[in-house]
Amino acid sequence: MCANADISNALQVHHLQNSQLTDQYLFISDLHLCATRTHITRAFLEFLQHIATQAKALFILGDLFEYWAGDDDVEDVFHQDIIQAFCSLASAGVPVYLIHGNRDFLIGQAFCTQAHITLLEDPTIVELHAERVLLSHGDALCTDDLAYQSFRNQVRDIAWQEKFLNLPLSERKQKIEAIRSQSEHEKSQKNAMIMDVNQEALNTLLRETHYPTMLIHGHTHRPKQHTIQLDGYSITRWVLGDWYEQGSYLILTQDGVKSKLL
Ligand code: LP5
Ligand code: MN
């Protein structure tokens, strides 16, 4: 596997012993893991121990956690359990790649090093089974949601993040929980249409990335396979499901893509 370097960082998957036995790439997003959502945590740990160990690589396309307040929170017991599970997967020879979501964009290198995870830019193109696959969380494509995009611009600013990360962890968590409440309130007032991907933003991205064979993203929690006809190209857009009620994942093999529920 190799990456298209146009908009992505260079990515080289190491083909380790175990992963040569399989041709399965797995994709998940929007797990929103937290200590209180025990059934989903259990499902995820089982997924890592069984299904993921059979994979050539696992791609997590954002919102792994309900929220991430900074890498100094790695010591938290719940986070340590998750990190340990990733370490076991790494020992089994399965590489794990992560794209930030809007809930966990503060995940940094310290967490990734501990968990043996490689962070990817949003968006990134990877070449898998000779297909050019564009990966993204998906929130950047929801351009009709002006309030969210303005919030996003603010919190993705590096200087803003440095300042925020200098606050004590407990204060950061309080602030995030306040924003979470405000976000839930605002979402209940927003038209569902504006919280979906904007077609023009999507077309622009597909043109900029030279018409990948497929796009896989999460965020909207509207799992579906879409076929896009653009400038004479046919592109499949796969939207991943969330893990609120039930775990779900996408599996890409030599034979194509399948959507699976746990
Ligand atoms: O995540 P989801 O799907 O529920 O909702 C998103 C958008 N909401 C968010 C907010 C996150 O849920 C909050 C957690 C972020 C943790 C990051 C840590 C660092 C930030 C700390 C900030 C103090 O992403 C929601 C979208 C929805 O997706 C669908 O796309 O609509 O967007 C909103 O609801 C945002 C509101 O419309 C605007 C919020 C304005 C808040 C203004 C506060 C200003 C002060 C903040 C400092 C920058
Ligand atoms: Mn999201």
Side-chain angles (χ1 to χ4, degrees):
M1 169 180 137
C2 63
N4 181 313
D6 272 347
I7 57 155
S8 62
N9 51 339
L11 164 64
Q12 190 70 55
V13 166
H14 304 286
H15 294 281
L16 302 177
Q17 269 178 344
N18 154 295
S19 57
Q20 287 178 342
L21 299 173
T22 166
D23 71 340
Q24 303 179 349
Y25 292 103
L26 303 181
F27 305 85
I28 55 175
S29 73
D30 303 284
L31 292 94
H32 295 215
L33 297 178
C34 62
T36 52
R37 228 175 256 142
T38 48
H39 70 293
I40 285 306
T41 305
R42 216 173 306 119
F44 180 58
L45 294 176
E46 270 178 36
F47 171 82
L48 289 187
Q49 280 160 13
H50 300 292
I51 296 167
T53 52
Q54 306 305 309
K56 212 169 172 67
L58 169 65
F59 293 89
I60 304 171
L61 304 187
D63 290 356
L64 172 64
F65 292 108
E66 173 70 0
Y67 67 75
W68 190 258
D71 279 5
D72 48 342
D73 209 11
V74 284
E75 301 309 328
D76 174 88
V77 177
F78 174 72
H79 294 153
Q80 277 301 317
D81 287 347
I82 304 293
I83 287 169
Q84 281 314 312
F86 280 123
C87 289
S88 302
L89 188 60
S91 307
V94 180
V96 178
Y97 299 93
L98 174 72
I99 285 182
H100 283 144
N102 57 300
R103 304 285 193 98
D104 54 14
F105 59 85
L106 289 177
I107 287 180
Q109 199 47 55
F111 168 81
C112 290
T113 302
Q114 269 206 30
H116 299 273
I117 286 176
T118 303
L119 208 49
L120 302 177
E121 293 294 318
D122 185 358
T124 283
I125 292 188
V126 289
E127 198 178 304
L128 308 171
H129 297 312
E131 309 247 31
R132 291 179 66 248
V133 181
L134 178 59
L135 305 175
S136 176
H137 178 57
D139 58 319
L141 294 170
C142 300
T143 54
D144 294 326
D145 191 344
L146 298 178
Y148 170 64
Q149 292 301 333
S150 149
F151 170 75
R152 186 180 195 275
N153 284 339
Q154 190 172 0
V155 297
R156 297 300 181 105
D157 178 74
I158 299 298
W160 183 89
Q161 290 185 7
E162 275 172 11
K163 216 167 138 199
F164 184 72
L165 289 170
N166 268 327
L167 297 172
L169 180 59
S170 58
E171 197 179 327
R172 272 177 269 153
K173 287 188 175 179
Q174 269 177 13
K175 285 186 187 295
I176 290 172
E177 274 160 28
I179 297 275
R180 285 279 321 115
S181 308
Q182 187 172 342
S183 171
E184 285 306 307
H185 171 72
E186 291 198 19
K187 282 198 305 182
S188 70
Q189 313 288 313
K190 286 178 189 173
N191 182 323
M193 286 278 286
I194 74 153
M195 291 190 281
D196 205 351
V197 161
N198 171 285
Q199 196 61 45
E200 263 319 300
L202 185 59
N203 290 348
T204 302
L205 177 65
L206 296 174
R207 287 189 178 110
E208 280 174 2
T209 52
H210 308 296
Y211 312 98
T213 357
M214 73 181 89
L215 160 66
I216 306 176
H217 73 83
H219 183 67
T220 61
H221 304 209
R222 302 174 203 216
K224 199 172 169 179
Q225 176 186 4
H226 303 260
T227 303
I228 301 164
Q229 303 296 341
L230 180 68
D231 305 339
Y233 292 86
S234 183
I235 299 154
T236 312
R237 171 183 161 226
W238 287 94
V239 185
L240 299 170
D242 62 52
W243 284 49
Y244 281 140
E245 303 296 333
Q246 191 177 8
S248 61
Y249 61 100
L250 217 62
I251 177 163
L252 167 65
T253 66
Q254 309 265 15
D255 300 328
V257 180
K258 276 192 191 133
S259 168
K260 300 258 191 184
L261 291 173
L262 290 180

